[in-house]
Amino acid sequence: MTTFWCEHAELGTGPVPGVRISVDNGRIAAIDRVPIPADGDTRLAGVVLPGFANAHSHAFHRALRGRTHDQGGTFWTWRERMYAVADRLDPDSYLALARATYAEMALAGVTCVGEFHYLHHPAGGGRYADPNAMSEALVQAAAEAGVRLTLLDACYLTGGLEDGGHLPLGDVQLRFSDGDADAWAARVAELKERPGLRIGAAVHSVRAVPADQLPTVVAAASGRPLHVHLSEQPAENAACQGFYGRTPTGLLDGAGALGPDTTVVHALHLTGDDISALGGSRTSVCACPSTEADLADGMGLFRLLGDAGSPLCLGSDQHVQTDLLAEARELEERDRLITHERGRFRPAELVEALTVAGHRSLGWADAGRLAPGQRADLVAVRLDSPRTAGAAPDQLVMAATAADVHTVVTDGRVVVSGGQHVLGDVGRLLADAIAPLWDER
Ligand SMILES: [Zn+2]
């Protein structure tokens, strides 16, 4: 039994002072109100929150941070540079990059990540000796970084969508594709869940998976998390409307892809009917505010989606920043800019998006709350830093950043202590993983 004494702990009704959390075999065994720590307690200063779930990640996009701001452009020109990095990765370099990327997430309080994975095969197509070698690199990376993983293995079959129909795969996209949805499902079926690993599914987008292939993916995902990029760009909506005569949301709805096990990512350019379909089916929505700003995607109507019935969660997506507290804050700030009103999301709702809702989206019903029986995921955030000093504990999410996270416990294991990750210098790990990807060749 390990015991953590928390100066404040978020027990579901707001932070309360003086809490001891007893941990046994990776689970919370007991929670007691204790005004002062006892000998043997690990003392956690500040506010202890449940572990954060980063519900949408592409680990390899971390290599693009600070590298794409020199030539203007659009989402589509950014994508060309992303493809250039994708073209260079193999299982070894993918492992190094993902391990460092997940370690950076752990430093930011992330205890569980949803990796939306489509970099399946060797550059140019073909197959590795183990057709899941790239997936296994991600599994190993997350385990070594001390972050639980839901591997959202993405079906990706076509090069895009225009009014005339789906486009053939481009050269770089060949490695994303299994050929058809049946072959994708057969490969994913070979992936086995392990402690700390869930296998989920993804439809890359309605651009990359033709409508006649969607039911196969939906069937293969049955009972597991299913994630989809949805309406990130107006061009996707226009092409879908032009070819299928429906919105992307309508197309997914018609294929039976919406529901409480499904999460749509972005969901920025929606009609009223789309919002009703998503909310009415209790489909989760994952907002990625920093990416949506960075890629000039637009602003979502997340308050309306939440009010319609969609649970909201958060992702760092392309990792323009790895700061889930900032993503949560930006969810509220974007809605203020749209509506000219403050307090669109209460701080407690932002914490819920970071914790319970994210874990539910990723298929972990036993994580995201500080309660007996739950996984022992703890994130301790300073109340005494230059950024947070003076903040009320129950409004900390509107002030703190990733730099204020000092201790992170995942499944009872201390992964970050004193702001240091067990793997050591994460900046060095990132630099060493990223530099070779940008070498002149
Ligand atoms: Zn994405």
Side-chain angles (χ1 to χ4, degrees), residues 56-58 61 116 229 232 265-266 317-318:
H56 190 66
S57 162
H58 307 284
H61 291 190
F116 195 110
H229 286 128
E232 182 172 6
V265 182
H266 305 304
D317 192 1
Q318 59 137 331

Side-chain angles (χ1 to χ4, degrees), residues 92 94 145 172 196 215 296 361:
D92 288 339
Y94 203 31
V172 177
S361 160

